[in-house]
Amino acid sequence: MTGEAPVKSILELSAFDPVAKADPHARLKPLREDCPVWRDESTKSWFISRYADVRGVVNDRTMWRSGERAEQGSFSRFLLDESRLHEPPGERQSILTMDEPDHSRIRTPLSKAFYARVAKSRPKIDAIVSDVLDSVADRKAFDLIGDVAIPIPIITIARILGVDDQRLSEFRDWSEGVILGLNPVRTPDETAHMERSQAAMTDYFTELMTARRVKAEDDLVSDMVQLQAEGAPLSDTEVRTNLLALLVGGNLTTTDLIGNGVRLFLLHPEQKAKLVADPTLVPQAVEEILRFEGPVDITGRVMPEDRTVGGCPMKQTHSVVLGLRAANRDPAAFERPDEFDISRKGTPHVSFGGGSHICIGAPLARMEAASFFSTFFQRFPTLHIAETGEPQWRALPFFRGMERFVVAV
Ligand code: HEM
């Protein structure tokens, strides 16, 4: 099953590599065809790129997630802070990298409270989208990323959490700083911004939790301290860390869902015309953006025992990297996979992962994107791309989104 791989390292499949940065499928397609289950010795990991294999592994709740269970030196350990392994799991990491029983202990109450908040957020999100679009409405040109797609998710999560209005601009600055934690190639100034922001955000969440214990408000921080008071086994650090995970996990990704989507519609005017003519297509248009050019390249798991995947024998503790972007273009799962077509129905994409770790923010991301694409092209019917040539793709490995995207009316 593992033939000669057309790349030497998983990093060549990320935005670190100039070819993959310009077009990830230039790398992913030959790999999926020639070597769909590939052992990359340089990062001690398996890279899986066929839809059926990715779907099978990502949905399998017996797989491990935590890097500390993975082979020494493997890809799954890259994000691990080895110096803190003696601390309890909940004190040093979010649910993103946690295994059972801690993962469910924290995710179950968090998701219950969060989903109840998301379910009633649509009117608020519509108002946020409308205000942000008002702020660029009289401009001849604007940066869709910086002026529109970055503020929408930050203001949305701030409102859900319960950030005070007077602190919103500080919160925006900290959010942009905290998100820099995803970037392994930061400048010293960016690292300083990140560290300052993480400390400020931690202090702010501590302050908010204390305030909400004294007087509850209609927000997620109040819900979480209320759950603690009712006996939910969650420490303050666990609540803070996972509220921060909602912020970090949701901002850049939703920004890129909006940014990538607008670019796709401007490149495919016939799809834009279809969307504008029939607003009931919005939900499936959002799914097609996620499939065709989703914000996240990969997710990961760790083998819990010796097993075979796609005919290849894997060992317990082996690191498994799931090629979500590659799977979403597999011709065995999708007809005309390289065509952007918002009338597409059928096989669901894997852009939010699956199983017990499936993206907790998926309903919110979908709601923000649905709100945005319900009105955007109606409000800016003559919008077009202002700069010629390839957009400036961000150099952030394993994410796909633009640094900036100037559009003109
Ligand atoms: C288009 C937008 C988004 C995409 C493409 C995306 C993608 C993903 C992916 C691929 C995973 C890993 C799933 C797995 O391993 O099976 C994940 C997990 C996660 N995401 Fe998202 N995400 C998005 C939006 C959000 C939002 C809006 C939030 C929060 C408000 C969020 C918070 C999280 C968290 C906390 C996890 C960890 C869940 C767990 O391990 O239990 N994400 N996301």
Side-chain angles (χ1 to χ4, degrees):
M1 193 57 66
T2 45
E4 183 63 24
V7 287
K8 297 274 173 281
S9 155
I10 280 177
L11 298 179
E12 286 174 46
L13 305 171
S14 83
F16 268 156
D17 176 88
V19 174
K21 187 174 165 194
D23 175 12
H25 298 284
R27 293 259 190 252
L28 295 173
K29 188 168 187 251
L31 186 64
R32 189 183 55 234
E33 283 168 1
D34 300 344
C35 211
V37 184
W38 167 51
R39 173 77 182 170
D40 171 18
E41 284 303 337
S42 73
T43 60
K44 287 198 177 168
S45 56
W46 293 92
F47 187 88
I48 302 184
S49 47
R50 277 189 306 217
Y51 181 89
D53 295 332
V54 168
R55 175 57 83 195
V57 173
V58 87
N59 279 11
D60 182 344
R61 289 168 185 257
T62 67
M63 296 291 297
W64 293 334
R65 176 65 162 131
S66 173
E68 66 199 83
R69 303 174 100 161
E71 187 179 8
Q72 287 298 332
S74 64
F75 189 79
S76 296
R77 295 186 82 96
F78 280 3
L79 286 177
L80 201 62
D81 184 350
E82 308 266 356
S83 69
R84 298 188 62 189
L85 286 180
H86 60 282
E87 296 176 33
E91 298 297 305
R92 60 181 156 84
Q93 65 192 331
S94 77
I95 53 170
L96 177 69
T97 49
M98 212 176 263
D99 278 329
E100 298 305 340
D102 299 292
H103 179 261
S104 292
R105 173 176 59 81
I106 298 172
R107 178 163 168 148
T108 304
L110 176 69
S111 59
K112 196 167 163 234
F114 179 58
Y115 290 157
R117 290 272 149 212
V118 172
K120 50 185 185 186
S121 290
R122 181 66 194 254
K124 282 188 201 148
I125 293 174
D126 287 345
I128 292 165
V129 168
S130 173
D131 286 352
V132 169
L133 296 183
D134 285 349
S135 73
V136 293
D138 52 9
R139 307 245 296 265
K140 288 198 166 49
F142 54 89
D143 174 15
L144 182 93
I145 303 300
D147 296 328
V148 174
I150 288 180
I152 290 173
I154 292 182
I155 302 171
T156 301
I157 197 72
R159 293 273 179 254
I160 289 177
L161 289 168
V163 173
D164 302 321
D165 278 347
Q166 316 86 277
R167 308 295 294 270
L168 193 61
S169 61
E170 277 171 287
F171 184 83
R172 275 181 66 166
D173 177 54
W174 300 333
S175 301
E176 289 180 26
V178 168
I179 293 163
L180 290 166
L182 297 171
N183 186 354
V185 286
R186 291 181 298 268
T187 63
D189 276 358
E190 286 173 333
T191 299
H193 183 197
M194 179 193 79
E195 287 171 355
R196 214 175 42 241
S197 305
Q198 280 169 341
M201 196 68 100
T202 303
D203 289 348
Y204 181 56
F205 279 140
T206 306
E207 201 182 296
L208 263 186
M209 286 170 71
T210 307
R212 297 306 191 256
R213 277 194 183 112
V214 176
K215 183 174 180 298
E217 300 282 349
D218 186 15
D219 60 39
L220 186 62
V221 172
S222 301
D223 299 341
M224 296 310 293
V225 297
Q226 178 63 30
L227 284 169
Q228 285 181 303
E230 287 166 5
L234 300 168
S235 72
D236 282 4
T237 307
E238 288 168 345
V239 172
R240 254 193 335 255
T241 305
N242 287 287
L243 292 179
L244 201 62
L246 294 183
L247 179 75
V248 177
N251 278 353
L252 202 65
T253 46
T254 312
T255 293
D256 294 342
L257 175 58
I258 293 172
N260 294 353
V262 170
R263 176 169 171 271
L264 286 173
F265 280 113
L266 295 180
L267 291 176
H268 298 88
E270 77 296 344
Q271 298 297 319
K272 185 184 124 187
K274 235 194 261 185
L275 180 74
V276 172
D278 181 1
T280 66
L281 288 175
V282 166
Q284 69 193 65
V286 171
E287 298 311 304
E288 179 63 349
I289 301 165
L290 283 160
R291 181 195 75 84
F292 192 83
E293 197 139 74
V296 180
D297 289 352
I298 57 169
T299 188
R301 297 289 188 266
V302 177
M303 264 296 152
E305 61 187 8
D306 295 1
R307 277 188 202 166
T308 298
V309 174
C312 293
M314 299 184 185
K315 296 268 179 222
Q316 187 183 49
T317 77
H318 273 183
S319 164
V320 186
V321 180
L322 303 155
L324 306 175
R325 187 177 307 290
N328 282 338
R329 296 278 192 105
D330 183 348
F334 302 95
E335 277 177 33
R336 303 167 285 107
D338 298 322
E339 232 176 80
F340 177 62
D341 176 4
I342 64 167
S343 1
R344 187 184 291 279
K345 288 187 180 139
T347 317
H349 61 72
V350 283
S351 296
F352 288 123
S356 55
H357 286 274
I358 192 166
C359 176
I360 197 172
L364 180 62
R366 287 183 162 121
M367 191 179 276
E368 290 180 53
S371 169
F372 179 85
F373 286 106
S374 298
T375 55
F376 183 67
F377 291 113
Q378 280 82 349
R379 286 198 62 171
F380 299 94
T382 59
L383 197 85
H384 53 275
I385 301 176
E387 292 173 340
T388 52
E390 263 299 296
Q392 292 179 28
W393 294 105
R394 222 184 297 105
L396 188 57
F398 304 115
F399 289 87
R400 184 147 177 91
M402 293 172 286
E403 200 79 62
R404 57 187 231 127
F405 184 50
V406 181
V407 287
V409 290

